[in-house]
Amino acid sequence: MSTPQTVTPELRQWIVAQAQAGCQPEAVLQAMLASGWEEDVAVEALENTLRQHLEEHARQNNLPPPSIVPEPDLRDSPGAVWAGDREVKIVATMRNPRVVVFGGLLSEEECDELVALSRPRLVRSETVDNNTGGSEVNAARTSEGMFFQRGENPLCARIEARIAALVNWPLENGEGLQILRYGPGAEYRPHHDYFDPAQPGSATILKRGGQRVGTIVMYLNAPAKGGGTVFPDVFLEVAPVKGNAVFFSYDRPHPMTRTLHGGQPVVEGEKWVATKWLREGRFE
């Protein structure tokens, strides 16, 4: 019978030192495994140490406190999870930032129906105006889009209920689905989805459900080339596969969440996505 491995203060200090030196968590984990650490012990030590390090960094620098965020139930690393009415595959996961790639969140028929319902209502996409809390056309976002009201039609209601079950978050805390179309050359440059509290327009926005704490981007088609979703801080790119989705959460409105992301330019064809933003409280 083997002796349980103990996570020592020295090991935690070493993990923090590796992170401060710029090593990716995956590389630190592999180094621990190569040194003889059991995988479950190594993963728990790595995750807990990095989380505690970030929390201490936040306290020392007077950063915003963390919020509770949406989180799919991925205990025991399942290959698929039940989302109320449909089995959804787990394609890939990342802890820091919290990113999960879902396979088959939408059926092909649901993707096609969302495109058909939204196409007549497309207009030039806008971004939030941080000064007023309104919206404006921005050169960083070169797509066309529209919004469905939450529960506007049976299709939206079904998808919204599925997402709520999948990430364990109240249905009423979600914004309505946004549909975007990117033509050749169109992109959305890297940005954060949370609202910056330092901006004068944020107070107005936050009255409707509080801060954003999670995002789900669903791919409604597969462009011939380009159009991936990138996370520059962690060198991650998610390919736009029809029916799949990428989920990420951010527990505070600060770059430390490493959720900077963007839509790569479409090189050939077009890209359609449906985006769902999740708020702290009920969104009205």
Side-chain angles (χ1 to χ4, degrees):
M1 182 175 180
S2 61
T3 302
Q5 294 180 318
T6 301
V7 178
T8 64
E10 290 76 16
L11 175 63
R12 296 187 185 280
Q13 290 173 2
W14 177 82
I15 291 173
V16 170
Q18 301 310 301
Q20 292 174 331
C23 295
Q24 294 297 311
E26 294 79 6
V28 178
L29 176 60
Q30 290 305 314
M32 293 176 68
L33 297 178
S35 297
W37 286 93
E38 296 175 4
E39 184 171 6
D40 57 342
V41 177
V43 169
E44 183 175 2
L46 183 62
E47 292 178 353
N48 289 342
T49 300
L50 291 178
R51 182 176 63 252
Q52 292 168 8
H53 174 62
L54 289 173
E55 296 299 340
E56 181 60 28
H57 174 77
R59 286 191 293 270
Q60 292 177 355
N61 291 275
N62 296 316
L63 299 177
S67 301
I68 297 174
V69 297
E71 175 65 17
D73 185 359
L74 302 184
R75 289 172 294 180
D76 301 322
S77 302
V81 294
W82 185 250
D85 68 340
R86 181 180 179 86
E87 186 177 76
V88 177
K89 296 179 181 178
I90 307 302
V91 177
T93 66
M94 179 178 285
R95 283 289 181 184
N96 183 23
R98 187 46 165 158
V99 178
V100 181
V101 180
F102 295 117
L105 175 57
L106 304 179
S107 69
E108 291 213 0
E109 293 76 16
E110 288 171 331
C111 292
D112 294 342
E113 187 175 353
L114 279 176
V115 170
L117 289 172
S118 62
R119 191 184 293 273
R121 295 163 58 178
L122 295 178
V123 296
R124 172 68 188 272
S125 297
E126 298 182 336
T127 59
V128 172
D129 183 342
N130 289 319
N131 292 316
T132 66
S135 59
E136 62 180 357
V137 172
N138 190 316
R141 192 177 203 181
T142 53
S143 59
E144 297 176 306
M146 57 80 64
F147 277 95
F148 288 110
Q149 295 295 315
R150 191 174 64 230
E152 179 176 326
N153 54 54
L155 175 61
C156 288
R158 182 169 72 247
I159 293 171
E160 288 161 351
R162 185 181 303 157
I163 290 171
L166 181 62
V167 300
N168 298 296
W169 205 246
L171 179 68
E172 61 269 20
N173 290 19
E175 299 182 25
L177 293 176
Q178 182 192 47
I179 311 299
L180 294 173
R181 174 194 172 273
Y182 293 85
E187 64 178 326
Y188 195 178
R189 296 171 193 164
H191 60 283
H192 293 98
D193 281 352
Y194 55 73
F195 304 113
D196 185 351
Q199 297 297 326
S202 292
T204 300
I205 301 170
L206 295 176
K207 291 178 181 178
R208 301 182 64 195
Q211 188 60 258
R212 283 176 177 168
V213 290
T215 301
I216 301 177
V217 178
M218 295 160 275
Y219 304 106
L220 305 183
N221 78 319
K225 294 181 182 179
T229 302
V230 294
F231 295 81
D233 288 346
V234 291
F235 309 103
L236 173 67
E237 180 170 353
V238 179
V241 177
K242 186 175 182 178
N244 285 9
V246 59
F247 160 79
F248 51 100
S249 61
Y250 26 99
D251 65 0
R252 69 197 82 200
H254 193 273
M256 70 178 291
T257 60
R258 304 207 295 175
T259 53
L260 183 72
H261 65 286
Q264 290 284 74
V266 174
V267 177
E268 183 179 331
E270 61 180 12
K271 180 180 76 169
W272 289 78
V273 299
T275 302
K276 179 77 170 178
W277 287 292
L278 305 172
R279 298 286 191 107
E280 289 178 297
R282 183 182 180 89
F283 178 76
E284 301 291 352

